[in-house]
Structures are given as structure tokens and as C-alpha cells.
Amino acid sequence: MSEKKFRSGFVSIVGRPNVGKSTLLNRILGEKLMITSDKPQTTRNRIKGIHNVPGGQIVFIDTPGIHRAKSRLNKFMVEEALSSVQGVDLILFLVDGAVDPEKESGMIKEVLSGVDAPVILVLNKIDLIPKGELLGRMSCYGDTYPFKEIIPVSAGTGDGVEQLVKLVHGLLPEGPCYFPDDILTDVPERFIVAEIVREKIFRLTHDEVPYSTAVVVDSFKERENGVVAISATINVERESQKGIIIGKKGDMLKRIGTQSRQEIERLLDTKVFLELFVRVSGEWSDNSRMLKEFGYE
């Protein structure tokens, strides 16, 4: 009896903003690794999530949402997403199942033009699709592009996700174990900490403030008593945004800090002392030097 082959490879998750890419990856990993919110353009960088299955390893790449970019930051985000469809073994193209397929066809054809890797269309949020419309929508997408498969899922409830993972694993080539089997991502803890703080800003503030925010971890040290002391700076573009982040008598900054600290403690499994500062870095999202400083170029 022949030995079962080990399959592994890199799988890019792409799609418009707010279609559930990060939620799907968190669901697959069984851990909250990617930040999420109900606002579009939450994810800014490509982030690898490593998922081990019996007989294989899947390296998922979460990407920023594809949108019409104006600022340097947005252009960086779109370039991150578009470049991720090259040099991978498989692509998951995520769409919002509640959106009319005809509105997505042009973007799908544009993004996948010249792509060599097989593509699975993942029809997300099927819990929001009226009964009786699912098969029609799948058929409509099938006329758009020669997808390897079209899989309906709900990243929010987990419906169909296990089937998707099994399909992905079966389509990967024979390969090595790229990462140790006890890690979830290749990004450093400092990066994840900064993302957690940024997520809390997304969830607790409104309007343009989250999009004008960049978080930089200035120091990350473990003390002799085991407490991890973290200092981070929240960069915004205008004084008015700084006022919103700080809040009346520092109330908003305290809420951001408390919720961030609690999640970071769960991540690190230890006590955390978190100190947050707010700085105005005028128009940083259109400044190439600052973008590089903040890790976006």
C-alpha cells in the first residue's frame, strides 16, 4: 500500500473590501489572528496564516480588499492584493453572496486576467442569501470565469468552511512542510499587537478616524516578573482626530487601551502593561517616508 503524499502550498485569499476574507481565515485557523470590523479596508498588509491538516500544510495569505485607490496608502494596499495572485498554488476569490453577481463580473475578469493558478470562487455570507437564489447565483458566477470550483460558505457561522479546506488541501501539489507545525503566522508579535490596537480603534471610533490611523509598537519588553510591557504610538493625521482618539478626559483612549490589553493578554497568555500615546503625523497616508516608517512600503 503506497504512502499518502504530503501536500502543501500557498493559497491567496482575494476580493473586495468587507467580503469576509479575514473572518474566513480566522475561522479556518480556529484562532483570531486577523483583525476584523464591519468597516471596509480593515486589512492593510498581506499576512500569512498557517493551517496544518492531516497529510498537509496550507499557507493562507490574507490580503487587503481590492478597491479604487487614491492615497499612497490605498495604492499600496491594492498592490499588495493584486501581487498576491502571482506565484501561489491556488487562489480563493471571495465574494459577498448577497451582492448581485453581475456587479462583480468586471472586477473578477480584471483581477484574474493572466492568472495561471487555479481559482476557487468562495461565495461567502450564504446565510444572507434568500432561499432559492443560491444555485442561480453560483451559475451566474460560473459564466464569468472558468473557476476550478464554486463553494458557498458562511465565514461567520462556519457553514461550508470545512468542505472548503478539504477541497483546498486536495488541490495542492506535493510539497514540504514550510513552517513548524506549532505556529499560526510568520508575522512577529509586535505586528499583531499593533493590529489589535488598530482594530479597537476601528470598532470604537467612527467616520474617517480609523482610516487615518497607524499604530507603531515602540517597545516590547518582558519584565523579570513575567509581565510584558508594551508601548505603542497611535498616529493620526489631524488634531481633531487626536481629540477623538483621546476622548473626553481620556475616556476613549482608556477604552481602546483596556480592550487591546485584554486581547493581547489572551494572545500572549501573560499579564500585559500597555501604554498608548497619540501623535499627529500630518497626512502620513500620502507621505512615502512615513508609510515606510509605519511598515506600509
Side-chain angles (χ1 to χ4, degrees):
M1 186 174 179
S2 62
E3 186 178 343
K4 195 173 183 179
K5 304 296 185 182
F6 190 90
R7 295 180 177 274
S8 63
F10 293 80
V11 180
S12 187
I13 306 175
V14 299
R16 289 192 189 275
N18 218 28
V19 295
K21 298 183 296 296
S22 297
T23 302
L24 174 64
L25 186 48
N26 286 339
R27 172 71 64 176
I28 291 172
L29 297 177
E31 296 280 351
K32 183 182 174 184
L33 182 62
M34 315 302 168
I35 71 170
T36 61
S37 82
D38 58 0
K39 299 180 177 68
Q41 301 172 32
T42 306
T43 301
R44 289 176 176 171
N45 302 76
R46 283 186 296 180
I47 304 171
K48 292 186 181 73
I50 300 141
H51 184 57
N52 294 287
V53 297
Q57 184 178 79
I58 310 170
V59 183
F60 290 99
I61 305 170
D62 189 28
T63 65
I66 299 169
H67 61 283
R68 295 194 181 279
K70 295 181 180 180
S71 70
R72 287 178 183 266
L73 172 63
N74 285 342
K75 290 177 181 177
F76 163 80
M77 291 162 60
V78 173
E79 287 170 3
E80 285 276 276
L82 294 178
S83 64
S84 74
V85 301
Q86 303 297 331
V88 293
D89 299 289
L90 186 65
I91 297 167
L92 300 185
F93 201 109
L94 222 68
V95 295
D96 185 337
V99 174
D100 184 350
E102 293 185 1
K103 294 182 179 179
E104 301 293 284
S105 60
M107 188 266 290
I108 290 172
K109 292 175 182 177
E110 182 179 353
V111 172
L112 298 180
S113 175
V115 166
D116 295 324
V119 183
I120 297 174
L121 182 84
V122 182
L123 193 66
N124 192 25
K125 305 182 183 181
I126 57 171
D127 48 312
L128 303 179
I129 301 177
K131 292 182 178 180
E133 293 187 14
L134 178 59
L135 291 179
R137 293 183 184 223
M138 292 174 66
S139 176
C140 188
Y141 276 116
D143 294 335
T144 300
Y145 184 87
F147 295 107
K148 189 73 175 178
E149 295 280 354
I150 298 177
I151 303 294
V153 306
S154 172
T157 66
D159 190 21
V161 173
E162 184 177 349
Q163 178 189 358
L164 174 64
V165 172
K166 288 181 179 178
L167 176 62
V168 168
H169 177 223
L171 290 173
L172 292 180
E174 294 178 24
C177 186
Y178 290 101
F179 296 93
D181 60 10
D182 60 347
I183 67 170
L184 285 176
T185 182
D186 66 335
V187 297
E189 291 174 336
R190 293 171 72 110
F191 177 88
I192 299 176
V193 165
E195 289 290 273
I196 289 172
V197 175
R198 195 164 65 85
E199 180 190 54
K200 304 314 172 190
I201 296 170
F202 261 85
R203 292 182 177 275
L204 293 172
T205 63
H206 306 285
D207 301 324
E208 85 287 353
V209 175
Y211 302 101
S212 300
T213 302
V215 179
V216 177
V217 175
D218 304 307
S219 65
F220 190 110
K221 298 178 181 178
E222 183 174 354
R223 295 173 176 172
E224 290 184 2
N225 60 1
V227 173
V228 175
I230 302 171
S231 175
T233 300
I234 300 170
N235 295 272
V236 294
E237 295 190 313
R238 292 186 288 279
E239 284 289 344
S240 60
Q241 295 166 345
K242 179 178 179 180
I244 294 172
I245 293 288
I246 294 174
K248 188 176 182 181
K249 296 182 179 180
D251 178 66
M252 178 58 73
L253 188 61
K254 183 177 180 180
R255 290 176 65 193
I256 293 168
T258 298
Q259 292 189 19
S260 298
R261 176 183 55 76
Q262 292 170 345
E263 187 159 332
I264 295 166
E265 287 181 337
R266 288 194 293 270
L267 170 73
L268 302 179
D269 195 26
T270 189
K271 289 290 184 181
V272 169
F273 173 77
L274 177 64
E275 194 172 23
L276 297 178
F277 302 92
V278 186
R279 180 178 69 183
V280 177
S281 302
E283 304 302 326
W284 68 263
S285 63
D286 227 7
N287 183 301
S288 57
R289 179 185 62 80
M290 289 185 181
L291 283 170
K292 186 175 182 179
E293 179 184 338
F294 297 161
Y296 295 122
E297 274 190 7

